[in-house]
Amino acid sequence: MTPPDDAWERSFWVWEVLFAVVYLATALLVFFDDVSLAEKVVAETVLAALLLGYFAAGRRIVRTDDNPVPRAAATSVLVVLVATAIFSDTTASFILFMACPMLFMLQEIRPGIVLTTVLILLDPVAAVVRGGWENPSLPILLPMTAILVVFSVLAGKFTTDVIKQSAARAELIRQLEDSQAEVSRLSREAGTAAERERLAREIHDTLAQGFTSIVTLAQAIESELDTDLVAVRRHLALASATARENLAEARAMVAALAPSDLAAGTLTDAVRRAAERLADEAGLHVEYEVDDPLPPLAMASEVVLLRGAQEALANVRKHSGADSVLVRLSAVDGTVRLRVRDDGRGFSPDAPTEGFGLRGMRSRVEQVGGRLSLRGGADGGTELELEVPA
């Protein structure tokens, strides 16, 4: 994208209109002035050289070239040509209305003031040189010179400020564009990292837990193969069902859809299936309670509750040594609360409890503005409570 022109670029045409008007007016005044032909030719030739020099190099230097060497060269040529024109014909001093602003465009404020004052003073000096101190134009020329010096200094200060402000804004725009590009790059990197973390949580909460169940069932089948064929068939059926669910989760993950359990039914049905699966696989007594109906939830909040239930039940199976588990979904003060409580061995408050599963669960909950707590039960065991806004 092409950056917008700054104020100096947009207003440059105003300067060129001034240049053209002042140049034409001065050239016409010199042409009709009552001086000798030689003086008139010299003055007009110098003015023509000034015009050609401006379009050959001066315009580019004034507009875009920040190199001090060409600016100093252009300043020197401008001063010499204007001085020559004024000394050839004092009427050519009208060119100062163009030359003085141009000096401030080429130089900083202090050297610009000095050079402008020098050029303006050349008019009365030329009048004295040509007509002596008795020159009748001096009484009018001297106060006019003073006024012109003041006007030129003020106009030069304004011109210099506009140029500096324009340059500062152009630099600020460049910095903002660089900052926007950096923010875009960091946003892409943050988005990539967040997506990787999300996929890691999805894999941990679904595929990894499913594979753990399949491994556990395979070990049970191996131990029961020669003693209990009925249990073997039951565990084979559970392993097959778990594998099919894992396959469905993998397909849903690839397609960036909602969890397959939620795609196939309601949140309460999905949590109930997770609880029943734990009861079948681990032989635990699992009690499932739900307030009916629950308030409607966004898909992201339903995913958080389902993944929270799956992670909590997986932890019960792997770590608690419990005999019974309570899973409850309820509506409380504008939120939906999931509570999973077991009667297992509990946990030590000093022991680290923030494994990857809990960290991922906590991150999910925070993303939807919810709350997660983990504490020991009143009679032992562990209680996990997760709330999301309805």
Side-chain angles (χ1 to χ4, degrees):
M1 182 180 67
T2 302
D5 293 337
D6 57 32
W8 173 237
E9 288 290 333
R10 293 195 302 271
S11 303
F12 195 77
W13 67 271
V14 178
W15 151 250
E16 296 203 313
V17 169
L18 173 65
F19 181 98
V21 170
V22 172
Y23 179 85
L24 289 174
T26 304
L28 289 174
L29 289 172
V30 170
F31 182 80
F32 291 107
D33 194 18
D34 187 17
V35 294
S36 67
L37 180 60
E39 292 172 328
K40 189 177 299 186
V41 169
V42 172
E44 292 286 11
T45 301
V46 171
L47 292 176
L50 185 61
L51 178 65
L52 293 175
Y54 176 76
F55 282 104
R59 185 174 185 272
R60 176 186 58 80
I61 294 172
V62 167
R63 189 169 188 176
T64 61
D65 196 339
D66 293 329
N67 191 322
V69 175
R71 284 182 171 268
T75 300
S76 301
V77 171
L78 176 63
V79 170
V80 170
L81 292 177
V82 171
T84 303
I86 291 175
F87 275 99
S88 299
D89 183 356
T90 54
T91 304
S93 60
F94 282 98
I95 201 67
L96 291 172
F97 287 101
M98 176 271 290
C100 291
M102 191 171 179
L103 281 174
F104 284 105
M105 296 178 197
L106 292 168
Q107 298 296 324
E108 295 292 333
I109 182 67
R110 290 183 180 178
I113 289 174
V114 173
L115 292 172
T116 297
T117 303
V118 169
L119 282 184
I120 294 173
L121 291 175
L122 289 179
D123 193 17
V125 170
V128 171
V129 170
R130 296 172 63 87
W133 291 102
E134 294 78 17
N135 193 317
S137 63
L138 279 180
I140 299 176
L141 190 58
L142 289 177
M144 290 298 296
T145 299
I147 294 173
L148 186 56
V149 168
V150 174
F151 173 79
S152 297
V153 169
L154 294 178
K157 179 67 167 60
F158 175 77
T159 301
T160 303
D161 289 346
V162 168
I163 293 174
K164 287 185 176 180
Q165 188 180 59
S166 178
R169 288 179 176 175
E171 176 64 18
L172 179 60
I173 291 172
R174 185 192 64 78
Q175 292 177 359
L176 288 175
E177 290 174 344
D178 292 343
S179 298
Q180 288 175 343
E182 181 68 9
V183 168
S184 297
R185 182 184 67 82
L186 293 176
S187 297
R188 287 193 298 272
E189 291 180 358
T192 300
E195 183 63 14
R196 287 174 178 170
E197 183 180 356
R198 185 190 70 81
L199 287 175
R201 290 196 304 265
E202 291 288 338
I203 292 172
H204 175 272
D205 293 345
T206 56
L207 303 183
Q209 292 180 10
F211 291 141
T212 300
S213 298
I214 292 173
V215 170
T216 301
L217 291 169
Q219 291 171 344
I221 291 170
E222 185 178 3
S223 65
E224 297 164 346
L225 192 58
D226 298 327
T227 59
D228 191 348
L229 291 180
V230 174
V232 168
R233 291 190 183 93
R234 184 168 61 86
H235 287 153
L236 280 173
L238 287 173
S240 177
T242 302
R244 283 194 295 270
E245 289 174 1
N246 262 23
L247 179 60
E249 287 286 357
R251 287 172 173 168
M253 195 181 304
V254 170
L257 299 174
S260 58
D261 283 338
L262 292 179
T266 64
L267 171 66
T268 55
D269 292 337
V271 175
R272 177 181 289 107
R273 286 194 294 272
E276 292 172 350
R277 188 180 307 118
L278 175 66
D280 290 338
E281 293 178 359
L284 303 180
H285 173 70
V286 179
E287 185 177 352
Y288 179 56
E289 300 176 356
V290 59
D291 286 354
D292 193 21
L294 294 174
L297 293 172
M299 177 59 69
S301 297
E302 290 192 347
V303 170
V304 168
L305 289 169
L306 174 59
R307 296 306 187 211
Q310 291 172 333
E311 174 65 20
L313 294 175
N315 287 338
V316 168
R317 180 178 57 202
K318 291 186 288 186
H319 306 301
S320 71
D323 294 320
S324 64
V325 182
L326 170 66
V327 180
R328 177 171 174 77
L329 278 173
S330 56
V332 180
D333 297 331
T335 68
V336 174
R337 176 184 296 168
L338 167 71
R339 178 176 294 163
V340 179
R341 186 176 69 238
D342 66 70
D343 61 354
R345 64 177 65 94
F347 67 94
S348 171
D350 299 327
T353 59
E354 291 289 311
F356 180 83
L358 281 175
R359 286 200 307 273
M361 192 191 308
R362 194 176 299 279
S363 176
R364 286 178 184 275
V365 173
E366 290 173 352
Q367 287 176 1
V368 297
R371 182 183 65 86
L372 173 68
S373 63
L374 182 68
R375 56 183 177 269
D379 301 322
T382 303
E383 182 174 282
L384 178 141
E385 191 172 272
L386 190 160
E387 288 184 359
V388 298

